């Protein structure tokens, strides 16, 4: 491609992501759906079983309404916050999203770079197609490593060692995945066949690939299904994607493992997937520096409560002894503001940025983060609140029974 062609393709990408084509995260979801084959889009969009928890995560934000203070002039609106000693431009962190390189060849590298440019932290999933060293190199901002014990403790030690050497600042340990949830869209669409089946078993699913030539071309140019560069099996090399679901079912993380990790990781440990006050206190007892209230975006235990709904219980149980973060269902800046008012230090963004990544790579993530940042600022001004640090529950009507 000549320079001129590259420039004109960048211009057309930014045009296609600008208003009025993309005004909110829902518009990015729509673009992602157009670019991706159904099997990849549904992997990103879908949840476990009847998807009750997936829907509830988003819906429950509507149960909480605002109590604005009117007629307040705010010359400067301060959106900054600090999480685990890192300054964030607004209270959001990019969540670990497995298989990001299937959504876009630049995957985790693009997301980390966009996070840094937006002044945010990025969390790299264990299930990642780019080497953690390359992800670190893409961002000078804070990057965290999310750990699954896929392949066992020896494999985890290898990744932790690499993460420490290149400067990942926190270890996020996900505790809600003793087995992978039953995401019914995946077997129906042929996810397993895409990841590793024979050509014959892939045949019924090929039409959806050919219907998305842009994605298919970039996928093939990227070398097809990526290896898991950060799950390196001694003597064998990086694990293949097809093996990961089976490996996850032998990778349950227990409190005993967290104790072990405390011994080998000197930085902060963040426990992800807490849904009760009891587990929050247990995580504190094991030395967690922060807790993420999360049901894995409705992808694990269907029927688990919406994350926002249990946030008050966890905030009360933690009682200021650690930082409490939450994720699940955040699609607008006003959702972020509600979670902060209830007591979260920051939220993690999952699909909200991954739709952008799937739609257009790094510019898509950048657009998602810009939309959410602008939303947060507008919401603060409409609330009559000068800063994120001044937000509290007096800005909300929270249902009495919560
Ligand atoms: C496609 C996809 C892959 C994910 N992969 C991981 C993962 O590898 N590790 C993890 O701890 N959480 C993973 N999650 C959960 C997210 O980190 C986060 O908890 C969730 O997406 C938040 O919900 P939201 O998407 O509604 O914002 C994944 C979520 C999605 C949508």
């Amino acid at each position: 491609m000549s320079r001129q062609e590259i420039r004109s393709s960048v211009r057309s990408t930014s045009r296609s992501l600008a208003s009025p084509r993309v005004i909110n995260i829902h518009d990015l979801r729509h673009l992602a759906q157009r670019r991706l084959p159904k099997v990849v889009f549904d992997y990103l969009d879908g949840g476990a079983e009847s998807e009750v928890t997936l829907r509830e995560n988003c819906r429950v934000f509507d149960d909480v309404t605002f109590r604005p203070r009117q007629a307040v002039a705010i010359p400067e609106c301060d959106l900054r916050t600090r999480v685990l000693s890192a300054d964030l431009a607004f209270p959001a962190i990019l969540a670990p999203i497995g298989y990001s390189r299937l959504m876009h060849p630049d995957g985790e590298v693009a997301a980390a770079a966009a996070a840094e440019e937006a002044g945010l932290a990025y969390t790299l999933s264990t299930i990642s197609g780019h080497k953690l060293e390359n992800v670190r190199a893409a961002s000078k901002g804070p990057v965290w490593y999310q750990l699954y014990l896929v392949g066992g403790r020896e494999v985890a030690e290898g990744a932790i060692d690499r993460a420490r050497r290149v400067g990942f600042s926190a270890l996020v340990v996900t505790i809600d995945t003793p087995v992978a949830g039953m995401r019914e869209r995946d077997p129906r669409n042929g996810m397993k066949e895409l990841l590793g089946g024979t050509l014959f078993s892939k045949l019924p699913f090929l039409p959806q690939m050919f219907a998305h030539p842009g994605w298919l071309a970039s996928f093939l140019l990227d070398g097809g299904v990526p290896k898991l560069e950060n799950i390196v099996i001694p003597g064998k090399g990086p694990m293949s994607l097809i093996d990961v679901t089976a490996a996850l079912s032998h990778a349950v993380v227990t409190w005993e493992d967290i104790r072990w990790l405390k011994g080998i990781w000197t930085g902060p440990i963040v426990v992800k997937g807490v849904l009760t006050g009891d587990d929050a206190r247990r995580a504190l007892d094991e030395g967690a520096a922060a807790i993420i209230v999360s049901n894995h975006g409705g992808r694990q235990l269907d029927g688990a409560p919406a994350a926002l709904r249990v946030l008050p219980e966890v905030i009360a149980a933690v009682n200021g002894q650690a930082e409490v973060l939450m994720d699940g269902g955040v699609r607008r800046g006003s959702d972020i503001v509600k979670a902060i008012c209830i007591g979260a230090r920051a939220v993690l963004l999952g699909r909200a940025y991954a739709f952008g990544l799937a739609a257009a790579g790094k510019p898509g993530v950048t657009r998602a983060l810009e939309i959410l940042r602008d939303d947060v600022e507008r919401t603060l001004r409409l609330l009559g609140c000068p800063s994120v640090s001044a937000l509290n529950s007096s800005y909300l009507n929270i249902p009495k029974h919560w």
Side-chain angles (χ1 to χ4, degrees):
M1 233 192 225
S2 72
R3 258 199 209 156
Q4 207 175 357
E5 279 170 326
I6 292 174
R7 242 181 268 137
S8 92
S9 117
V10 168
R11 263 201 305 274
S12 78
T13 307
S14 21
R15 251 201 316 274
S16 67
L17 291 170
S19 176
R21 282 195 77 187
V22 176
I23 295 174
N24 60 26
I25 299 298
H26 191 76
D27 297 329
L28 286 173
R29 177 180 178 276
H30 184 65
L31 289 185
Q33 188 166 24
R34 290 220 330 235
R35 183 176 163 272
L36 297 178
K38 186 169 165 47
V39 58
V40 183
F41 177 76
D42 276 352
Y43 164 73
L44 167 57
D45 191 56
E49 298 176 29
S50 306
E51 302 190 339
V52 173
T53 299
L54 172 70
R55 284 191 297 278
E56 196 57 11
N57 270 348
C58 290
R59 194 211 56 79
V60 82
F61 281 98
D62 299 343
D63 287 345
V64 176
T65 56
F66 287 117
R67 292 173 60 82
R69 296 180 194 165
Q70 313 290 34
V72 178
I74 298 173
E76 289 285 325
C77 198
D78 185 357
L79 308 186
R80 288 168 307 166
T81 198
R82 259 174 104 71
V83 176
L84 297 178
S85 312
D87 289 316
L88 305 181
F90 67 102
I93 294 160
L94 279 66
I97 295 286
Y99 298 21
S100 289
R101 195 166 173 170
L102 276 186
M103 294 160 207
H104 192 280
D106 300 338
E108 300 87 4
V109 167
E116 188 216 339
E117 281 171 22
L120 302 181
Y122 173 73
T123 316
L124 176 67
S125 166
T126 294
I127 317 291
S128 38
H130 284 282
K131 288 196 169 88
L132 59 84
E133 291 80 2
N134 297 343
V135 173
R136 169 74 274 192
S139 161
K140 290 190 189 64
V143 283
W144 298 355
Y145 187 69
Q146 177 269 326
L147 189 75
Y148 284 132
L149 289 179
V150 180
R153 284 188 177 187
E154 194 186 348
V155 171
E157 264 172 359
I160 289 171
D161 198 42
R162 286 167 59 195
R164 179 192 306 109
R165 262 188 276 137
V166 295
F168 279 73
S169 54
L171 194 63
V172 177
V173 187
T174 302
I175 59 166
D176 59 15
T177 312
V179 293
M182 174 37 119
R183 300 156 201 165
E184 297 182 1
R185 301 192 209 184
D186 293 351
R188 249 189 260 289
N189 292 331
M191 187 66 174
K192 205 166 118 201
E193 288 76 7
L194 166 70
L195 296 184
T198 60
L199 187 61
F200 189 69
S201 69
K202 280 188 185 24
L203 276 180
F205 306 106
L206 289 183
Q208 48 166 321
M209 311 284 166
F210 289 115
H212 297 271
W215 176 87
L216 184 60
S218 67
F219 173 73
L220 293 175
L221 282 171
D222 195 37
V225 177
K227 289 264 184 192
L228 296 172
E229 295 289 350
N230 303 310
I231 308 178
V232 180
I233 314 291
K236 285 198 185 154
M239 185 180 265
S240 59
L241 260 185
I242 188 70
D243 295 330
V244 82
T245 310
L248 260 180
S249 59
H250 306 293
V252 57
V253 175
T254 64
W255 296 113
E256 162 60 31
D257 292 311
I258 307 253
R259 221 166 300 146
W260 165 73
L261 288 167
K262 275 293 283 179
I264 61 167
W265 172 263
T266 44
I269 290 192
V270 182
V271 173
K272 176 172 186 279
V274 168
L275 289 173
T276 64
D278 287 345
D279 273 353
R281 273 191 299 270
R282 184 69 201 258
L284 292 184
D285 290 345
E286 301 297 351
I291 283 161
I292 305 174
V293 178
S294 171
N295 53 38
H296 213 112
R299 299 165 74 79
Q300 286 296 107
L301 177 64
D302 197 30
L308 188 77
R309 178 66 186 85
V310 294
L311 185 58
E313 175 183 333
V314 174
I315 297 276
V318 168
N319 196 19
Q321 287 172 265
E323 294 177 16
V324 178
L325 313 172
M326 69 81 63
D327 73 26
V330 175
R331 303 290 181 270
R332 292 189 179 272
S334 56
D335 297 339
I336 301 177
V337 172
K338 287 177 183 177
I340 304 301
C341 286
I342 292 178
R345 181 62 73 96
V347 305
L348 277 80
L349 307 168
R351 295 177 183 84
Y353 85 83
F355 288 141
L357 179 69
K362 185 180 159 210
V365 180
T366 297
R367 182 71 180 121
L369 301 180
E370 177 185 72
I371 288 169
L372 293 170
R373 191 219 158 275
D374 290 353
D375 278 0
V376 171
E377 174 162 0
R378 187 184 332 103
T379 304
L380 252 70
R381 288 181 182 281
L382 289 169
L383 275 178
C385 180
S387 67
V388 160
S389 58
L391 288 170
N392 58 43
S393 59
S394 70
Y395 287 97
L396 295 183
N397 297 300
I398 301 171
K400 293 252 167 352
H401 61 280
W402 276 35

